[in-house]
Amino acid sequence: MGFPGTTGADYIDYLVTDEFVSPLCYSHIYSEKLVHLPHCYFVNDYKQKNRDVLDPTCQHKRSDYGLPEDKFIFACFNQLYKMDPEIFNTWCNILKRVPNSALWLLKFPAAGEMRLRAYAAAQGVQPEQIIFTDVAMKHEHIRRSALADLCLDTPLCNAHTTGTDVLWAGLPMVTLPLEKMATRVAGSLCLATGLGEEMIVNSMKEYEEQAVTLALNRPKLQTLTKKLKEARLTCPLFDTARWVRNLERAYLKMWNLYCSGQQPQHFKVTENDFDFPYDR
């Protein structure tokens, strides 16, 4: 959760992950044996702690944050260090292709605002198309995320907690998975909503095209947003109790391997595996 990658430590036997984030074909870049949980390894507690987000009477308004009411708003709430020139150039291309659009970023840190504004201007983006707001407290941040129209992920280091925030807010995203663990978490989050195929792309060109297509085809985006909002209370991503049961299955499998004298090994946890039944 805090360090999405291998430790390189020979005294740590296992890395709890999932099949999308850490496919076996990339197992050579991990020192640990991979334990694949079903769905997504990234646990959250939104259904218990942030149900107010689902209440339509608790929604913020764009005017509360100086956001334009009439623009299509792309958003990325990741820390600024996760951005590289390639993705920012792609965002600039998207802004230039989508009329009356803007990109909402956080002052995270504030020192990055001036440089990013200057870089965007050099790419031909109008000053009013880049909007920075301050970092907010967790509850407020999740609720106000829904004011955007589409979240744009950073491929080099994905939205992890931030990605979970926006999906719980009902905000679709576009994400491009690469090879390393930190580049694949957002894709796993999207898959665990049941709508991954509509949010995961395979190349930077496809990333740009998907973002532009969704922005210009509002009925298509509205349908995706509606499906995401409807899935929040039933999809595996936000089912904390289900995640806990699967983690306990993983622990029991690890312990059984140890007690039988076997070495740590890659394994996959399945919810219908009768070797370690849990029924709570």
Side-chain angles (χ1 to χ4, degrees):
M1 298 292 289
F3 180 74
T6 184
T7 63
D10 58 9
Y11 53 86
I12 295 181
D13 296 319
Y14 293 105
L15 175 65
V16 177
T17 180
D18 62 61
E19 284 189 284
F20 186 86
V21 169
S22 308
L24 282 179
C25 62
Y26 297 141
S27 62
H28 60 282
I29 66 176
Y30 297 92
S31 60
E32 305 86 359
K33 297 301 181 183
L34 302 177
V35 175
H36 286 155
L37 294 186
H39 317 298
C40 182
Y41 86 98
F42 203 79
V43 68
N44 66 79
D45 198 28
Y46 294 89
K47 193 183 292 186
Q48 289 73 34
K49 293 176 63 178
N50 299 101
R51 290 186 77 95
D52 59 301
V53 173
L54 307 179
D55 184 350
T57 65
C58 292
Q59 304 305 310
H60 291 286
K61 294 180 290 187
R62 284 187 172 185
S63 57
D64 296 336
Y65 300 98
L67 298 170
E69 298 285 354
D70 62 335
K71 288 186 182 293
F72 186 97
I73 297 183
F74 297 101
C76 180
F77 302 123
N78 295 348
Q79 293 190 59
L80 301 183
Y81 77 83
K82 294 188 175 186
M83 301 169 192
D84 67 325
E86 184 179 20
I87 193 59
F88 205 81
N89 286 337
T90 300
W91 291 347
C92 289
N93 291 342
I94 293 168
L95 290 173
K96 287 184 287 186
R97 292 178 61 187
V98 178
N100 202 33
S101 62
L103 175 63
W104 179 11
L105 303 171
L106 297 184
K107 299 176 182 178
F108 200 15
E113 178 179 355
M114 182 177 67
R115 291 183 178 275
L116 288 177
R117 286 190 178 280
Y119 191 93
Q123 307 305 310
V125 174
Q126 298 303 308
E128 66 272 13
Q129 288 186 280
I130 305 293
I131 301 169
F132 278 89
T133 59
D134 291 322
V135 176
M137 296 297 289
K138 184 72 168 180
H139 277 73
E140 180 184 3
H141 165 68
I142 297 173
R143 286 200 304 271
R144 75 176 185 177
S145 296
L147 297 174
D149 295 297
L150 183 63
C151 177
L152 300 177
D153 191 28
T154 44
L156 198 63
C157 185
N158 290 173
H160 297 183
T161 301
T162 303
T164 321
D165 291 341
V166 301
L167 292 172
W168 180 246
L171 178 64
M173 73 164 74
V174 177
T175 186
L176 169 61
L178 302 176
E179 292 186 2
K180 295 181 181 178
M181 187 173 184
T183 74
R184 303 182 63 85
V185 174
S188 178
L189 299 174
C190 291
L191 284 171
T193 67
L195 300 166
E197 291 185 1
E198 299 182 62
M199 295 189 275
I200 300 171
V201 297
N202 299 304
S203 68
M204 195 62 77
K205 179 63 175 173
E206 190 180 335
Y207 182 110
E208 180 177 330
E209 294 303 322
Q210 178 74 342
V212 171
T213 297
L214 288 172
L216 297 180
N217 188 340
R218 297 304 292 271
K220 182 176 181 179
L221 177 60
Q222 289 167 357
T223 298
L224 174 58
T225 303
K226 182 174 183 290
K227 288 193 291 186
L228 177 59
K229 288 181 176 180
E230 290 173 349
R232 288 176 293 183
L233 289 177
T234 57
C235 70
L237 180 60
F238 300 113
D239 192 337
T240 311
R242 184 175 184 177
W243 185 95
V244 170
R245 288 193 297 272
N246 288 326
L247 183 66
E248 290 174 338
R249 289 183 173 101
Y251 286 157
L252 188 57
K253 176 72 171 179
M254 294 176 197
W255 183 243
N256 287 342
L257 286 170
Y258 175 77
C259 290
S260 65
Q262 298 182 62
Q263 292 297 310
Q265 56 188 255
H266 303 306
F267 68 86
K268 174 182 177 179
V269 175
T270 58
E271 292 177 306
N272 59 353
D273 193 329
F274 296 107
D275 286 343
F276 23 92
Y278 274 77
D279 186 15
R280 293 183 182 175

